[in-house]
Amino acid sequence: MTVQCKPIPALYTVYVLRSTVRHASLYIGSTPNPPRRLKQHNGLVPGGAARTSRSSLRPWEMVALVSGFPSMVAALKFEWALTNPHLSVHIPSASRLTVATQTKANGRPQRPPRSLASVVANLHLLLRVPSFARWPLRVHFFRRDVFAAWEKWCAAASERLRPSLAVVTDFEGGSEGLAGAVVGGEEGRERGEGAPCWGIHALPLDYEPIKDYVAKGQEIFEFERQGACVVCREEMASGDGLQALCTNQGCDGVGHLSCWSRHFLKGAEADSILPVQGQCPKCGGEMEWGNMMKELTLRTRGQKEVEKLLKRKRRRATKKTANA
């Protein structure tokens, strides 16, 4: 069997959906394109899910989501755990907040009723467990009451989330969002021209936010300008293992992937095995591990995506003719 290697996706999210008609009705799903998925749930385009197809509960709204997953499979694992916190093996039995009290006809535990408070509590829990705390995830809230429930739980929880976990708010009409702006161009066509640029509509659906970074990497590695590793100071040659590049504008610092990892993990918690963020030894700027890995996997696995992003045409061999 051939294993198909792909670059880290530009965006993959696990989202929380709420009925605008009945706020007690919630749904959890995953998608690389939240605006399109919301249209599917609301019956505006084909797709959706049977559980959200009842017209009496439409329209639905996305009130929160988690982004930063390294793959689709990673997002699906998180989605299943958040949907089934009473069964998930990622949650230690002693830490489980949701416990099944009834069984189905087949004898399996029945999922307890879901509420906004329980979803927020289990989201907080999953972001702390070892399986997911190692990932460079980001939490987004798009409704004030949902964020208020999150803050209430965070204040009451005995355990805290890692300090580097980003929590982003973007409310309609608030200073956090860009209410009134619209998305145009290629992204506008994907979301629908005139789509409001706040909440899920402001999320980047492609690699455009790191376009300049990707272009810098292409220029450095195509012309073999790696130089010495910024961490261990050893000279690096083309193809000398995996090499990653500083994310900061104007810095061309390159290092061995293993060296970057050790450098970022200095001072981290003892059980940390995956870096989240750190400083570049060359320019001193802050860097996010997730963006470094996106560029690295695009460069090594995503030639088609790079060509599309940088609007490069593939080189084709030209046929020589006998006519001079």
Side-chain angles (χ1 to χ4, degrees), residues 206-225:
D206 53 25
Y207 296 103
E208 189 67 28
I210 61 170
K211 180 178 179 178
D212 292 342
Y213 178 39
V214 172
K216 179 174 70 171
Q218 292 290 302
E219 196 274 334
I220 287 176
F221 289 99
E222 281 185 6
F223 292 94
E224 300 184 8
R225 295 198 300 105

Side-chain angles (χ1 to χ4, degrees), residues 5 20 27 71 76 132 154 156 175 200 247 268 287 318:
C5 295
T20 59
Y27 178 86
S71 68
L76 290 174
F132 304 119
C154 289
S175 58
I200 61 172
T247 60
M287 302 165 58
T318 57

Side-chain angles (χ1 to χ4, degrees), residues 36-58:
R36 182 177 62 198
R37 188 60 177 153
L38 181 59
K39 288 182 179 180
Q40 291 176 326
H41 283 302
N42 284 326
L44 301 177
V45 295
R51 290 187 57 200
T52 61
S53 62
R54 289 170 55 186
S55 59
S56 60
L57 295 177
R58 287 174 172 169

Side-chain angles (χ1 to χ4, degrees), residues 305-322:
E305 289 83 355
V306 170
E307 289 169 355
K308 180 180 178 182
L309 178 64
L310 303 182
K311 294 183 171 55
R312 290 181 174 180
K313 293 183 178 180
R314 290 189 180 185
R315 297 176 181 176
R316 296 181 180 178
T318 57
K319 294 182 179 180
K320 293 182 179 180
T321 61

Side-chain angles (χ1 to χ4, degrees), residues 190-265:
E190 173 67 25
R191 303 169 191 223
E193 290 293 352
C197 190
W198 71 274
I200 61 172
H201 302 288
L203 296 172
L205 304 180
D206 53 25
Y207 296 103
E208 189 67 28
I210 61 170
K211 180 178 179 178
D212 292 342
Y213 178 39
V214 172
K216 179 174 70 171
Q218 292 290 302
E219 196 274 334
I220 287 176
F221 289 99
E222 281 185 6
F223 292 94
E224 300 184 8
R225 295 198 300 105
Q226 296 94 320
C229 173
V230 294
V231 181
C232 72
R233 305 301 179 185
E234 292 183 3
E235 285 294 323
M236 295 184 298
S238 178
D240 180 20
L242 293 175
Q243 301 168 1
L245 171 68
C246 175
T247 60
N248 293 302
Q249 186 177 7
C251 180
D252 58 359
V254 179
H256 299 108
L257 184 62
S258 56
C259 291
W260 280 116
S261 177
R262 286 193 296 270
H263 175 68
F264 277 23
L265 288 173

